[in-house]
Amino acid sequence: MEKQYDFEIETLGECKRSSPIIMSSRRGDGISDYVSDNDRILYDIDTMEVGGKTVPVHADAVQLAGPREHIYFNPSHVHAAICTCGGICPGLNNVIRAVVRCFWYRYGVRRISGIQYGYLGLLENSPWPIIPLDPDVVDDIQEKGGTILGSARGGGKQVEEIVDSLERMNINILITIGGDGTLRGAYDIGEEIKRRGLKIAVVGVPKTIDNDLSFIDSSFGFDTAVTSAVPSVRGAHVEAKNSINGIGLVKVMGRESGFIAASTSLAQSDVNFCLIPESPFDLEGPNGLLENLRRRILERGHAVILVAEGAGQDLVPPTGETDASGNVKFQDIGLFLKKKIADYFREQGIPTSIKYIDPSYIIRSAPADSYDSIYCARLGAHAVHAAMAGKTQCIASRVNNQFVYLPIKVAVSKRSHVDVEGSLWRDVLENTRQPFSMKNN
C-alpha cells in the first residue's frame, strides 16, 4: 500500500493541561470516550485483491475529530475569534452558535469575539467593531439565514496586517468559516503566524454551497440548497405543463461543479435537461440542446431545463472581470439560454412560452434545514476541540461518515467535480432521459 497524501495535522506544542470536559479513556464503562490523535480511519475505502486477500488500495489515514484528554490552551487565557467569509450560505449562524456554545459551556472560555465581514474586519483600518459573543447573543440565531457577523470577500491576501491585528487583540484562536479562498487565506495566515513564532491556532470550517471541496463527504448548506431549489423546479414544471409548448428554465448555483443541479434533478424528477459545467454541450446541430429540446416539445408538449451557473460558459463571451476573491465573473447562462431558445423556436415557427426562474439568492439566504443544522452543530464543536488541543492550519469535516481533521493544505489542493462516468451522473441521466452527451462530435 502506498500513501498519496500527507494528512498529518500541525500542532502548536505538547498538550499538558487536563481537559475540563469530563469524559472517559476506557471503553465499555458507559461514559463518552476521549479521542486520541492515534484514532484514525482510512481516507480511501477502495480495495484491491493481493494474494487472495482484500486490502486497501492506499494507506492514507486521517485523524478522528473530537475532544482530547489533554489540551494545549488554558481556557482562562483564551481569546477566540470567529469570522465568516465569502458568500453567505445556509448554516453559517448554526456553526457560529455551535462554536460559541462549545467554547463557553464545554471549556469555560469567556472571551469570544465575532469579526465582522470576514478578513476585512481584521484589517487595520476596519470600520466595524468586534462583536462580543456569548450564549445569550447566539441563543436563537440558528433560526435565521445568513450570518450575524456579516460576510465579505477579500482581505485574505493582506496576511501580515491580519496577523498584526491578531497580535494586537491578543487573539490566540481563530476560527474561519468559508470556502476555498477563505481556507487558502487561513493557511497563509497560519504560515505567517509560524514565521513570527506565535502560538495562535487557526482552524477552518469548510463552507461551499457548491459542494466542490475535495476530500470531504459534503459541505454544510448543500442539503438545504437542494431542498430550497426543489420548489423552483416544481414551479417551473407547473408553468411549463400548463402552457402551450411550455418551457421552464431554472438556474442554480454551481460555478465549476454541478452538484446542486444534479442532486436537485434527482430530488425533483420533473427535470428533462440538467446542464452542468462538467458535461459540455452544443446549442445547435443535430445533437445539440436546441434540437433535443425541439424533439421533447413536439413529443410531450412541455420541458424543464435546470442549469448550473457555470455550465455553457464556453458558449458566451467572457466578462473579463473578477470579484474580490479573484473568481472570474460569469455571464448569466440562464438569460443567454432563454434568448437562444426563444429565437430558435421562433425561427422554427413553433409557439412557446418560456418561464425563467433564478432562485440563487433565495437559496443562499435560507436558514439551514434539520440535516444541515445537525451537521453544523457537530462541525462547530469539532473545530473548537481541535483549536483547544493546539491543532492549527486544519479543518474539521467529515470523511466516510466520520468527523475528522484534515490539513488545510491538502483540503484546498484540488476541487471536487461531478464525475460524468460515475453513479451520480448516471442516475441523473436515467431520471431526465436526456442524451449522455449533447455534443455533435
Side-chain angles (χ1 to χ4, degrees):
M1 293 186 295
E2 298 180 352
K3 288 190 175 183
Q4 285 183 302
Y5 306 105
D6 181 3
F7 285 123
E8 288 303 310
I9 304 298
E10 293 190 35
T11 62
L12 297 177
E14 185 180 354
C15 294
K16 299 179 180 180
R17 181 175 295 275
S18 295
S19 173
I21 300 176
I22 306 302
M23 298 176 68
S24 171
S25 55
R26 297 199 319 270
R27 296 292 296 174
D29 58 6
I31 303 173
S32 296
D33 296 328
Y34 292 111
V35 179
S36 164
D37 287 353
N38 295 323
D39 292 335
R40 297 172 184 244
I41 62 167
L42 288 175
Y43 162 70
D44 189 342
I45 60 175
D46 290 338
T47 61
M48 61 182 177
E49 292 291 323
V50 177
K53 294 183 178 180
T54 302
V55 298
V57 174
H58 298 290
D60 302 297
V62 293
Q63 275 190 25
L64 286 180
R68 269 48 179 176
E69 186 171 4
H70 294 91
I71 59 177
Y72 180 80
F73 287 107
N74 180 342
S76 64
H77 295 167
V78 167
H79 181 192
I82 310 168
C83 66
T84 52
C85 308
I88 63 171
C89 169
L92 286 169
N93 277 334
N94 302 67
V95 176
I96 294 169
R97 183 175 187 266
V99 168
V100 171
R101 287 169 61 86
C102 190
F103 270 130
W104 191 279
Y105 289 126
R106 301 294 271 163
Y107 288 100
V109 172
R110 293 295 181 264
R111 294 187 69 200
I112 310 169
S113 295
I115 309 300
Q116 295 196 69
Y117 300 106
Y119 292 136
L120 297 180
L122 284 170
L123 300 183
E124 186 176 356
N125 62 353
S126 166
W128 306 292
I130 301 300
I131 300 176
L133 299 174
D134 60 40
D136 289 335
V137 174
V138 302
D139 183 47
D140 61 355
I141 63 173
Q142 77 278 9
E143 304 293 335
K144 307 178 180 72
T147 161
I148 61 167
L149 301 179
S151 193
R153 303 185 188 278
K157 296 186 182 298
Q158 294 166 261
V159 173
E160 293 185 6
E161 196 173 331
I162 289 172
V163 178
D164 287 344
S165 295
L166 297 177
E167 279 196 273
R168 186 172 59 253
M169 292 187 285
N170 293 315
I171 291 170
N172 44 22
I173 290 177
L174 176 63
I175 306 291
T176 65
I177 309 168
D180 183 79
T182 301
L183 296 178
R184 291 181 189 276
Y187 177 79
D188 292 340
I189 291 167
E191 289 295 292
E192 177 64 17
I193 287 169
K194 276 196 301 185
R195 191 187 69 78
R196 298 189 190 188
L198 304 175
K199 299 299 183 181
I200 303 174
V202 180
V203 177
V205 179
K207 172 230 74 176
T208 164
I209 202 167
D210 293 350
N211 199 34
D212 59 355
L213 273 178
S214 292
F215 302 98
I216 65 175
D217 288 352
S218 66
S219 301
F220 75 82
F222 174 70
D223 189 82
T224 306
V226 173
T227 301
S228 300
V230 164
S232 294
V233 173
R234 185 183 300 121
H237 178 245
V238 171
E239 286 284 352
K241 199 168 184 180
N242 285 270
S243 302
I244 299 171
N245 298 328
I247 298 173
L249 175 61
V250 181
K251 186 186 78 173
V252 293
M253 289 157 292
R255 288 180 53 82
E256 298 180 35
S257 304
F259 287 106
I260 292 178
S263 296
T264 303
S265 294
L266 293 175
Q268 187 71 17
S269 296
D270 295 326
V271 176
N272 306 116
F273 298 95
C274 178
L275 309 177
I276 61 173
E278 296 90 335
S279 182
F281 61 93
D282 290 331
L283 267 181
E284 301 174 350
N287 199 42
L289 171 64
L290 294 175
E291 178 59 24
N292 278 288
L293 180 58
R294 185 184 71 85
R295 287 196 289 264
R296 162 73 193 188
I297 289 295
L298 294 180
E299 290 172 6
R300 301 287 293 170
H302 67 279
V304 174
I305 304 169
L306 181 59
V307 58
E309 63 180 314
Q313 289 297 317
D314 59 315
L315 304 174
V316 296
T319 65
E321 301 177 14
T322 58
D323 63 21
S325 297
N327 299 314
V328 175
K329 290 186 177 180
F330 286 163
Q331 296 278 10
D332 190 323
I333 189 64
L335 291 176
F336 172 80
L337 288 177
K338 180 183 178 183
K339 183 178 186 306
K340 288 294 184 179
I341 292 169
D343 292 345
Y344 174 79
F345 278 94
R346 190 180 303 112
E347 292 170 3
Q348 294 287 317
I350 302 173
T352 58
S353 173
I354 305 173
K355 300 296 191 297
Y356 174 48
I357 302 172
D358 181 356
S360 299
Y361 294 106
I362 296 173
I363 292 172
R364 290 197 339 168
S365 60
D369 64 14
S370 57
Y371 177 90
D372 275 324
S373 294
I374 295 168
Y375 193 19
C376 292
R378 301 184 73 184
L379 282 175
H382 285 308
V384 173
H385 296 319
M388 290 301 294
K391 300 182 187 300
T392 189
Q393 289 179 285
C394 66
I395 64 170
S397 196
R398 192 175 61 192
V399 170
N400 298 326
N401 211 33
Q402 298 257 36
F403 286 90
V404 300
Y405 298 133
L406 297 171
I408 290 177
K409 188 175 183 179
V410 173
V412 300
S413 61
K414 62 179 183 177
R415 286 187 183 272
S416 181
H417 299 282
V418 174
D419 180 1
V420 294
E421 297 182 6
S423 61
L424 173 62
W425 189 240
R426 179 195 66 211
D427 292 345
V428 169
L429 295 181
E430 288 177 358
N431 268 262
T432 61
R433 298 191 299 280
Q434 70 191 70
F436 75 90
S437 171
M438 286 187 285
K439 295 287 288 183
N440 291 304
N441 50 40

